[in-house]
Structure formats: structure tokens, C-alpha cells
Amino acid sequence: MAVTVVSLSACENARTDTLIQSSQIQDDALPEPLIDIEGEAKEGEQIFDSRDAGHCVLCHQINGLDVEFQGDVGPELTGVGARLTPGQIRLRIVDYQRVQPGVTMPSYYRIHDLNQVGEEFEGQPVLTAEQIEHLVAFLSDQKG
Amino acid sequence: MIRLAACLLILLTSCSPTADVTLPDDAIATKDLQSGSAFLTEETRALQEDDFENPGLLWVERGADLFVDTSASSKSCADCHDEQLKGVAASYPQLDELSAELVNLEKRINLCRARHQDLPELTYESDDLLALTAYVANQSHGAPITVAVTEETRASYEAGEAYFYTPRGQFNLACNQCHNENWGKKLRGDTISQGHGNGFPAYRYEWQSFGSLHRRLHDCDTGVRAEPFTLGSQTYIDLEYYLAVRANGLPVESPAIRR
């Protein structure tokens, strides 16, 4: 059978410090908020849509969202708040790779074990803890 | 199925000595290969095929002029090459016997300038190098890509393959995740292509100009927020080589039009 010949030799400057500790993860969820604020669904929607923020519509669709051309690389997120707990949603945004290695979704709150990161992005997660809490609030509201 | 694909690939390239290459599990089967033009709109495809309106032909014409130019050297390209370049681009990148280095078309043109014309290298991505590359590539228009892996080039092939499968950048995505596993799906309004290089150099709407495959690779790297490599670097030549082997059988389409 064919074997994938991927050996990862790079990662020279990969950071090993993590933003999230394994002890914070319970099964496939990250139950505690990343920061002590009340996530706001309205803010979350903005972040979900905006090219300059999360731009989740690149790969996801939500029925009724006022955005043209929503992508379909990821599953439809209509009703995701009924399928997943806020803690499950949070971990999927933070670092889906921990739930499912090889997933075609960026890890939005992670700086460790990355390879060839662009200089201007080095050492920073894609989104801030605050932005992620807003997204969790927005998606948890999607009850279908 | 995958074993079948591996066999097909070996058959395809068996006209020259081909080392056994093992295809990864998610490789696109030969029968499913589709050029980037399959993911364009009807109008763009028509424009690409229009022998007068395709904007890339401006570079081909300029390349034709440069090919016979003797203003800077006693010898023009045409003094050595007349009709011999038909089909040649379809087998690049290729090993340069003299230096034992893998070279793409751009590199080959610069080697010719140094070795036979006593001319300085053209800068990568300069209009003149793009024009000459497009002129040479266009002489293989429609010819199936036929790039072999040999014992001498195997390390380059494997380096290109490793690049294709290694997640990179702040987004931590690898080429195969979009171009093998998700081609045909939508990123916003754009359909993800299979990521073949057979149309390059190409006119790209996003650039509003003509550019090389390496410039396109550079854009994908910055798209996942990775530190890109230099255009013309060995890393990108190895990747170009892997992509060419992966696209064996697809027709050369340069000068294509791409989004």
C-alpha cells in the first residue's frame, strides 16, 4: 500500500510554549473561557464574517447570515450551538488539531509547533482570546 | 485504486528511466486530473483560448522579439534554436547535465545566456525573463507534461513532495489539504483548483499582470501566513518539479489566464 513520505524536518524555530495547557482540556472541550469577559454574539458575528478578523465564511456557511458566497470546505454551522457545547466550540476554534490531527482548519489560538511562520505573525495567535470568546457566544447561539 | 494510479504514472513516464515513486494515499488519480482552466468561468476560458485577446500573448510576442535579438550579443537564441524547442517545455524542470542541478525553464534560459551568449542573468520575474519563458513554453502549447523522476533527481522530487505535504504558516495548512483533499469545494466564491502549474507563466487577474509559477507559489505561502521563499530558489524549483510530475499528462497551457 502506498505510504505517505512526509517527514517533517523543518520546525527549526518552532516554539514549544503553549497558550493552553493540557490540563485545561476535558475530552474534546475547553470548558473555561480564555479570558474573563462575557462573549457577545453580535461582536462574534462580525468576527465570523470579516476578512480582517476570523473570516470563517471562507470555509463555513450559516443559513440566514447576510454574507455573499459562503464557502463549503468545512461543515455548515447552522445549528452548531445545538450540536456542540460552548466548551467544544471553544476548543475547535482554539486548536482543532488537538481534536482531529490533520484537519483543514487553522488553529486560531496557538503559537507552538508551527513551521515557517511569516515573520510578521511570529509568536502571535491568529485571533485574540477576546475575539474567540465572542465567536463562542455567537456560535453557541446558533440553535438551528 | 491508489496502486493503479501509481502504475499509470510509471507507465506515463516510462519513456525515460523512471525511479519508482510511491504515491501518497490522497494523490489525485490520473483519470481525475484537471487543469486550472477547468475551474474558470466560461468567459475566462474563452479569453484564454482566444489567439488575439489573451493578454498573455503580449509577453509571448515580446519573447519572440527577444529570441531573435542580437543587439547585446553576437548570438541570438534563434542562432542555436530554430524549430527545436517544440515540446521542450513539457519536460521541465529537468536535470542540467553540466552542473548536475535541477533547473526550470527560467533557469535554463539564464544558463544559455551565461554559457552561449555571454549575457548577464535576467532577474527572476523581470518582464524579459517572463517573456522568453512564455515564448518557449508556448511552443509546447497542448503538449502533455512528461516529466520523469530519475535516480539523479529523486532527492529533488522528494524535497518537493515533502514541501507539498508539510503544514506551514500561522494557519498551519499544507498544500495537499486544499489541492488534493478539497479541490472542487468553495473558499468563499472561488472554487479550489487541483494546484497544477501547467498554465504558467500566466496572466493572473489578482495581479493584473503576467507572472511565474514561483510568484503563484509565493502567494499561496503568504496566504497561509508562512514566510515565503525567494522566487527562483531551489526550494521552489523542487516544488515545481514535484508539481510537474504530479501533473504528468496534463497539457501545457501557458500563457494561461488564472484568477
Side-chain angles (χ1 to χ4, degrees), chain B residues 76-89:
Chain B
S76 75
C77 311
D79 285 335
C80 293
H81 306 285
D82 34 31
E83 288 298 297
Q84 304 161 34
L85 293 180
K86 279 210 184 334
V88 165

Side-chain angles (χ1 to χ4, degrees), chain A residues 17 20 22 54 99 109 119 124 126 128 130:
Chain A
D17 43 339
I20 298 295
S22 312
V99 180
Y109 197 66
E119 223 173 297
Q124 313 157 42
V126 182
T128 64
E130 221 172 308

Side-chain angles (χ1 to χ4, degrees), chain B residues 22-50:
Chain B
T22 315
L23 288 189
D25 281 342
D26 71 348
I28 302 168
T30 304
K31 69 168 177 51
D32 296 328
L33 288 179
Q34 285 183 48
S35 166
S37 45
F39 302 91
L40 301 173
T41 62
E42 202 70 45
E43 300 85 75
T44 305
R45 231 181 352 259
L47 185 62
Q48 175 176 308
E49 274 147 32
D50 191 313

